Amino acid sequence: GLTSCRTSNCIMFSWLGKDDRRKRDPEVFQTVSDGLRKLYKTKLLPLEEHYKFHEFHSPALEDADFDNKPMVLLVGQYSTGKTSFIRYLLEQDFPGMRIGPEPTTDSFIAVMHGDIEGLIPGNALVVDPKKPFRKLNAFGNAFLNRFVCAQLPNPVLESISVIDTPGILSGEKQRISRGYDFAAVLEWFAERVDRIILLFDAHKLDISDEFSEVIRALKNHEDKIRVVLNKADQIETQQLMRVYGALMWSLGKIVNTPEVVRVYIGSFWSHPLLIPDNRRLFEAEEQDLFKDIQSLPRNAALRKLNDLIKRARLAKVHAYIISSLKKEMPSVFGKENKKKELINSLGEIYSRIEREHQISPGDFPNLKKMQEQLQAHDLNKFQPLKIKLLDAVDDMLAHDIAQLMILVRQEETQRPNQVVKGGAFEGTMNGPFGHGYGEGAGEGIDEVEWVVARDKPMYDEIFYTLSPVNGKVTGANAKKEMVKSKLPNTVLGKIWKLADIDKDGMLDDEEFALANHLIKVKLEGHELPSELPGHLVPPSKRKLPE
């Protein structure tokens, strides 16, 4: 956090209603996570405790939940390459990893940064206050025996942690053999991670019922989900398109979001590509996925803020539900019957709360699950509505969160270069194997001669048919020739901007040749650069002052 407090970094925060109190000791937050933690403890936690939120939805948040590094959760059927994917990112083996076609990993492995390489067993993990896992002890020994933390000194892990999950099998047998509530554990993680990557295997895409169920357990966290269609080098292009279509179709039925989930196609392991036809596509997709993962540290504060808002909204709805049930309960006779009746009519209670408090239906907890949970509770012990607690949460949502948003923006500007480094993230940045190096607009980057000169004689012939005046063709005349490429105007406009180097609205023979070269680059399926790279500037114009 920031130790010195200058007014730009600190935002004066005010909790208690009375103005004189505010003047005496305003809250000063050094960091967003500090602010979130205090907000949670003073405003949201009291409401959660009063209405037994933790017994129904999710355990109380702890300090480590606010401070930990961004986490990436990997989920997939067995042998979709989850462990290989982590190895690929880290470019290093990690303790406890086993790779094989059989269901190998039946443990949750948290791959985290540590100075000494080694494994920490689950039972030790859940008592460590510095790790965000303490509340997992609720899942019992059957789970803890299948949970480890692999620590290793790896640069990638300095900014993110990765959670590897057991491969999902199909069918009933494994649900019984697991001995703990797998979906509930996943849900617990989903709520706390920054990115959920679903891995699918392109050359045997079948989404088992259990996997569908797992994906449904990630409901409410769709914004965190990205999909990787892995091992895509093992099938031909046409089959790949079919598999991609089938995957989008199945996902559309399971994940109900208005936006389509982003699917990255590639081969995420360090083996030679079996069918190299789509190499360029895979490289571009990999770059996009890496950018997505690299942005996580920068967006972590915003994600925690969002998660707290989601949680606060659920806690409010929960308070309304619990207090409504309490209100309906008789104080003396017929408690059991009334309880049954209330649980059965919970749907109507939902609708009433929705109307009375203008709450959107999406904020309500799952009806069936809530009905099951209520069976185990004594509704008479519930608390009636306490407006003061709800006001505190409303105040938090209305005022404090807005001020924290300002702080989020400030933190982002102070640490703009927080990205994940090391491992696979380095390999594609440097030297000739950087993405797109030496091809497309990068062609000729290492050559002494101007690469456009090769085809310039051909372009010159066209140039002189466009009636140049003083060695230049007008925009209108150049346009007639350029539109023959059938490229859309937006693209041609960009090419014009890059080629008209002296910005005089006309093209001389070199600029015209350059424009044609860029058209060729685009027609060959490459991206155009946003600025003209040095090696494409015509030699006679290289002395131009910027």
Side-chain angles (χ1 to χ4, degrees):
L2 303 154
T3 37
S4 71
C5 181
R6 298 185 304 284
T7 37
S8 69
N9 297 340
C10 290
I11 287 189
M12 297 304 191
F13 253 83
S14 40
W15 304 106
L16 306 154
K18 302 186 193 61
D19 284 339
D20 53 338
R21 175 71 202 272
R22 288 188 175 195
K23 289 190 190 84
R24 271 212 317 280
D25 65 349
E27 269 284 359
V28 176
F29 289 155
Q30 314 300 133
T31 62
V32 173
S33 50
D34 179 42
L36 287 172
R37 180 171 41 242
K38 287 187 179 151
L39 276 179
Y40 175 69
K41 286 195 172 146
T42 53
K43 297 203 167 178
L44 183 53
L45 187 60
L47 178 81
E48 291 184 355
E49 284 173 338
H50 197 69
Y51 295 107
K52 299 188 188 322
F53 180 85
H54 308 136
E55 292 174 35
F56 284 88
H57 301 295
S58 116
L61 297 177
E62 309 209 324
D63 289 356
D65 288 314
F66 295 100
D67 300 331
N68 69 55
K69 290 175 189 152
M71 295 194 284
V72 176
L73 180 70
L74 284 184
V75 182
Q77 291 177 191
Y78 74 93
S79 89
T80 43
K82 290 193 298 294
T83 309
S84 303
F85 181 81
I86 299 178
R87 225 205 135 280
Y88 184 73
L89 290 186
L90 303 183
E91 291 184 346
Q92 178 182 359
D93 289 345
F94 56 90
M97 75 175 232
R98 297 197 302 283
I99 296 180
E102 286 312 293
T104 43
T105 317
D106 65 342
S107 307
F108 281 81
I109 303 180
V111 186
M112 303 180 90
H113 190 272
D115 299 326
I116 304 153
E117 194 164 314
L119 282 172
I120 306 168
N123 290 299
L125 274 179
V126 294
V127 292
D128 180 351
K130 288 208 166 50
K131 296 251 189 316
F133 304 126
R134 283 168 42 134
K135 290 287 160 56
L136 280 167
N137 60 6
F139 292 104
N141 269 329
F143 167 70
L144 293 181
N145 294 335
R146 304 226 168 279
F147 178 42
V148 290
C149 172
Q151 284 197 318
L152 63 157
N154 180 293
V156 174
L157 299 173
E158 283 171 18
S159 32
I160 55 171
S161 305
V162 186
I163 315 280
D164 193 10
T165 59
I168 291 154
L169 306 164
S170 44
E172 201 50 21
K173 60 174 184 295
Q174 63 155 28
R175 250 212 306 270
I176 299 155
S177 64
R178 278 217 167 106
Y180 61 90
D181 188 342
F182 179 64
V185 173
L186 264 187
E187 212 172 325
W188 186 94
F189 275 110
E191 200 177 312
R192 284 160 184 78
V193 300
D194 296 71
R195 188 59 80 240
I196 301 166
I197 295 181
L198 299 180
L199 270 147
F200 293 90
D201 182 330
H203 82 304
K204 45 172 192 288
L205 180 69
D206 58 324
I207 302 181
S208 67
D209 297 347
E210 232 236 342
F211 198 17
S212 307
E213 209 169 299
V214 161
I215 299 172
R216 286 199 186 95
L218 306 175
K219 191 182 169 331
N220 297 335
H221 304 291
E222 286 93 352
D223 51 329
K224 297 177 180 179
I225 296 179
R226 301 288 181 274
V227 174
V228 169
L229 188 54
N230 201 7
K231 304 188 184 180
D233 63 313
Q234 305 189 3
I235 56 178
E236 301 283 349
T237 307
Q238 205 176 348
Q239 194 189 346
L240 179 59
M241 295 332 285
R242 262 191 232 123
V243 169
Y244 179 76
L247 176 63
M248 295 303 272
W249 168 251
S250 320
L251 283 175
K253 289 195 304 206
I254 311 169
V255 182
N256 45 351
T257 48
E259 306 84 58
V260 178
V261 184
R262 173 68 162 99
V263 176
Y264 299 91
I265 304 171
S267 174
F268 293 90
W269 61 347
S270 26
H271 294 257
L273 301 175
L274 267 181
I275 299 170
D277 307 357
N278 297 309
R279 179 188 197 117
R280 287 250 306 281
L281 168 72
F282 298 162
E283 282 173 4
E285 294 279 285
E286 178 180 287
Q287 280 315 106
D288 285 355
L289 178 62
F290 282 0
K291 278 199 194 95
D292 185 74
I293 295 175
Q294 283 177 306
S295 69
L296 293 177
R298 213 170 26 221
N299 303 328
L302 198 54
R303 194 272 308 168
K304 288 177 179 143
L305 191 69
N306 272 334
D307 282 355
L308 192 69
I309 296 171
K310 264 192 221 169
R311 188 179 175 104
R313 285 165 52 176
L314 180 60
K316 271 178 60 181
V317 173
H318 180 75
Y320 287 134
I321 296 169
I322 295 295
S323 54
S324 302
L325 292 169
K326 166 73 176 175
K327 204 165 118 192
E328 301 286 327
M329 283 301 280
S331 50
V332 195
F333 299 113
K335 290 181 186 175
E336 270 314 301
N337 288 340
K338 187 64 180 171
K339 174 176 168 177
K340 271 200 196 91
E341 181 192 316
L342 283 172
I343 291 177
N344 287 335
S345 61
L346 190 60
E348 291 150 42
I349 295 176
Y350 275 18
S351 313
R352 195 176 69 233
I353 294 172
E354 202 182 305
R355 280 195 311 275
E356 275 176 28
H357 302 285
Q358 273 94 47
I359 294 169
S360 83
D363 285 353
F364 284 81
N366 177 305
L367 183 65
K368 227 170 71 198
K369 195 169 157 198
M370 191 73 180
Q371 285 171 320
E372 276 165 31
Q373 287 173 315
L374 284 167
Q375 305 286 356
H377 285 269
D378 176 351
L379 305 196
N380 273 77
K381 292 215 169 92
F382 284 171
Q383 298 290 344
L385 197 58
K386 197 169 172 189
I387 295 297
K388 215 172 82 198
L389 290 173
L390 282 154
D391 285 349
V393 173
D394 282 334
D395 182 53
M396 169 180 110
L397 290 170
H399 303 116
D400 303 322
I401 295 283
Q403 301 208 252
L404 270 182
M405 281 300 288
I406 300 168
L407 195 52
V408 167
R409 293 282 166 255
Q410 286 183 357
E411 272 189 17
E412 278 177 3
T413 47
Q414 277 152 9
R415 294 197 301 255
N417 50 355
Q418 250 194 318
V419 292
V420 182
K421 297 187 179 69
F425 298 100
E426 297 302 297
T428 51
M429 295 299 159
N430 318 333
F433 294 94
H435 182 55
Y437 188 95
E439 46 184 59
E443 190 191 347
I445 187 165
D446 303 328
E447 294 170 28
V448 188
E449 199 197 350
W450 186 40
V451 64
V452 181
R454 282 182 218 164
D455 297 321
K456 187 165 181 291
M458 190 171 74
Y459 301 141
D460 280 349
E461 281 180 29
I462 305 169
F463 179 78
Y464 289 108
T465 64
L466 300 176
S467 43
V469 177
N470 301 334
K472 296 190 173 196
V473 295
T474 62
N477 286 349
K479 177 180 175 179
K480 280 183 205 138
E481 181 58 35
M482 288 168 73
V483 294
K484 291 182 185 169
S485 67
K486 298 194 171 56
L487 286 170
N489 282 350
T490 48
V491 174
L492 290 173
K494 191 171 176 186
I495 289 174
W496 178 274
K497 234 169 92 179
L498 293 168
D500 181 12
I501 292 170
D502 50 19
K503 306 271 175 275
D504 63 353
M506 318 224 273
L507 301 180
D508 63 21
D509 60 329
E510 287 182 328
E511 291 172 329
F512 181 76
L514 174 60
N516 279 286
H517 178 78
L518 291 169
I519 286 174
K520 188 181 91 175
V521 165
K522 188 66 192 169
L523 290 176
E524 285 172 359
H526 300 277
E527 285 307 305
L528 290 170
S530 41
E531 273 155 45
L532 193 65
H535 71 278
L536 285 184
V537 179
S540 67
K541 300 218 166 31
R542 287 185 190 174
K543 322 257 173 318
L544 273 189
E546 274 300 297

